[in-house]
Amino acid sequence: MGDITVAVAFGAGLLSFVSPCVLPIYPAFLSYITGVSYSDLKDNKMDKNALLHTIFFLIGFSIVYISLGVGLGIVSDILQSYDNTIRMVGGLLCIIFGLVVLGIFNPQFLMKDRKFEFKNRPSGLIGTMLIGIAFAAGWTPCMGPIIGTIFSMAAVNQSLALVYMIAYVLGFCIPFFLLTFFITKINILKKYSQTITKIGGVMMIIMGLLLFFDKLTAITQFFS
């Protein structure tokens, strides 16, 4: 079960990046955190300092989710007493979040942004890392349901909670960093962003059904 669900967590990170909440603003956001103008980004004029700012932003982003993974792992002994209940509730949450991503279900409390605002960009690499922490702590209509699915999976399998968070972070951070070298290709990805997100929503619902009916182990055995 671990191999499949870790891959799902990685895919969720990738889905968060290509979601309509992140990808369309990526060029402007990258320009903001690196201090490099969009025209220079298009000309691939990212210097060493700009790349360092990108890396520190991603470190800040990672700190939030990896810390949450550590927290879930610490309370794993307590949660194991309610293993079955958590599994079924986690499955239902995955289904609900999938419906939100597909646009079928739109609860207002999930559709509001809850995030820190920076009127002025903090200076230095530590300032950029703080922006990453604030970005990860934010709550957006797209990333909220997607990361909620990973939290549900982590609650069901507490021993892999930290691994799920690391996989999610890598799924988000790897394309975020690599695309800095191919910023001109962003429009191609944006064209299919909605489609990729919808496919992700369907996968979240399938994962929720598998969790609820305790079929993940059977699926893993089938692939084995």
Side-chain angles (χ1 to χ4, degrees), residues 126-139:
I126 300 302
T128 301
M129 187 171 71
L130 290 175
I131 296 173
I133 290 172
F135 180 79
W139 186 263

Side-chain angles (χ1 to χ4, degrees), residues 48-176:
K48 181 181 177 182
N49 187 56
L51 289 174
L52 275 175
H53 276 282
T54 304
I55 290 169
F56 270 76
F57 167 82
L58 294 174
I59 289 172
F61 175 88
S62 303
I63 285 171
V64 173
Y65 292 115
I66 291 174
S67 298
L68 288 169
V70 171
L72 277 170
I74 290 172
V75 298
S76 62
D77 289 338
I78 300 170
L79 295 175
Q80 276 176 351
S81 305
Y82 306 96
D83 212 22
N84 238 8
T85 304
I86 291 171
R87 174 181 55 76
M88 295 180 74
V89 172
L92 285 173
L93 286 173
C94 288
I95 293 169
I96 291 168
F97 290 141
L99 292 172
V100 171
V101 170
L102 288 172
I104 297 171
F105 178 56
N106 296 302
Q108 289 305 307
F109 76 95
L110 279 178
M111 306 313 291
K112 294 178 181 178
D113 286 351
R114 294 173 178 85
K115 57 191 176 186
F116 298 110
E117 297 283 353
F118 287 106
K119 292 183 179 178
N120 298 304
R121 179 182 175 278
S123 61
L125 295 175
I126 300 302
T128 301
M129 187 171 71
L130 290 175
I131 296 173
I133 290 172
F135 180 79
W139 186 263
T140 65
C142 291
M143 286 183 67
I146 295 168
I147 190 60
T149 301
I150 307 307
F151 288 153
S152 299
M153 288 166 50
V156 172
N157 195 349
Q158 299 92 24
S159 63
L160 285 175
L162 179 57
V163 178
Y164 289 155
M165 292 299 115
I166 292 173
Y168 174 82
V169 162
L170 288 174
F172 184 92
C173 292
I174 289 173
F176 191 106

